[in-house]
Amino acid sequence: MKAPADGWDRDEREALGPLEDELSALRARHASDPSLELLRAANADALPPDLQARVSEHLADSAWSRQLVAGANEVDHTLDAASADRLLARITRSSDEPRSWSAFHRFWRPLLATAAAITIVASIVVMRRATAPAQQAPAAAAPQTTIARNEPPPFELPLHRPDVRLSVAALTWRGPSGAASLVDDLAPALDAFRASDYARAAQSLEPLERQYPGAIEPPFYRGISLLFLNDPAGAIDELQKAARLADSTFSSDVAWYLAVAEQRAGRTAAARVYLDAVCRTANAHSTDACDALKKLDGAR
Amino acid sequence: MVALFRTGGTARIHMGSFEELYRAHVQAVFRFAMSVVGNRETAEDLTSEAFIALHRNLDAIDQSLLPAWLLTVVRNRARDLWRRKAVEERALGDLATSHHAASDAPALERWILDTPELRPIHRACLMLRYVHEMTRAEIARKLGLSETQVKGHLQYGLALLRKAYKTSEMV
């Protein structure tokens, strides 16, 4: 009989010897069960939607996995006084750091600055090219800088509709008594977005941007809607507004869609800046971003 | 209305009131964080992120929403972690969500699940040790117990098991 790495003790050998076949059958039956960590997270509804759906389905069917979770949840985890004090000191230190050193400066400011610089350079190159024939006689073919390219790129970043999710700020927003919540106001627009009716989503989200200037959902989902409506320039405006709101929960998503929008606007270099940032940090798009960088490098 | 969506500047908060809220809710938040990530270090990180978010939004938050507000922060951060993990470990994509009909469960599974003398923690220890083949140290780490506690739960379960098959309830 197979034993764990630390081996059976005598008690275990005696008790389990007669059950060898039963145990083998049980191991085979549960070999592809989700891990305990996944089961517990699903039980607390704390997984991303697709994973949550799959693991919840398993949990609903498997009394075995439900008991495993129940056992793990029976243990009461507490922070001792010293750990609680240490954590409070850490929280206070982090909270006292100027806000400027939070997500915005760490992630967005260098990115936006670099992308903006590339955009400006690209625009200048395009303008110079446009005015060149009037100023210069055509000469022998000169080497051309190709920062801005208007021809379709050989590799196009894929555009997928993300699962709709809401920021903590939206979920906990409270208005004047009796006022509808942000979540209620967002619902029709996000329903349209979910149904791939991007024209209606973009139209419904526009007034919400003015009504809730600090909420990230309207510019984020409007930006993606405009991308689907083949308006990359409009999408960039919206996504940059979302980026300025510096919600760290959305930062990698915003950067990914900015990369898609920049590439579709013909600014591959700016797209590359966003892809590079997404690739460097661990997030839902990092693998795609790293792959895309390789493909873009290969296409050069 | 717009106060919650401030994007710049941190209001100075009376630390006394923040600390009171921290003391009142930290255990519930930490316990919840443990249940969604399963290890102390990450659970402490999530707990601390939730309270940092609270600190930054304290003047805009309806305190009657606590601790639910804090748990929502933990849940969202945990989703991000799992999303990241799912990307890093493509294996998660192969989750063949196995379906087990209770009717075709082997006798030993039915015994583990149905024996009333076993508490969920006994069952979890038996499952992890004898079916998922973990060492006592691994079980202790996963469940937040000491190895001695794990050993005690296993001994209790095995004693019941032996009694069960000796009285022909099994095998």
Side-chain angles (χ1 to χ4, degrees), chain B residues 125-145:
Chain B
C125 288
L126 291 171
M127 291 166 165
L128 293 175
R129 174 83 175 152
Y130 304 120
V131 178
H132 298 284
E133 300 175 293
M134 290 183 189
T135 65
R136 294 183 197 88
E138 285 168 337
I139 299 169
R141 214 167 30 245
K142 277 202 185 282
L143 297 179
L145 298 170

Side-chain angles (χ1 to χ4, degrees), chain A residues 122-123 125-127 129-130 144-154 156 232 262-268:
Chain A
S123 306
V125 170
V126 169
M127 283 167 62
R129 274 201 205 159
Q144 293 196 350
T145 314
T146 51
I147 291 176
R149 295 186 303 183
N150 290 321
E151 72 271 21
E156 190 166 70
E262 290 285 7
Q263 195 204 26
R264 283 168 196 233
R267 291 192 289 264
T268 310

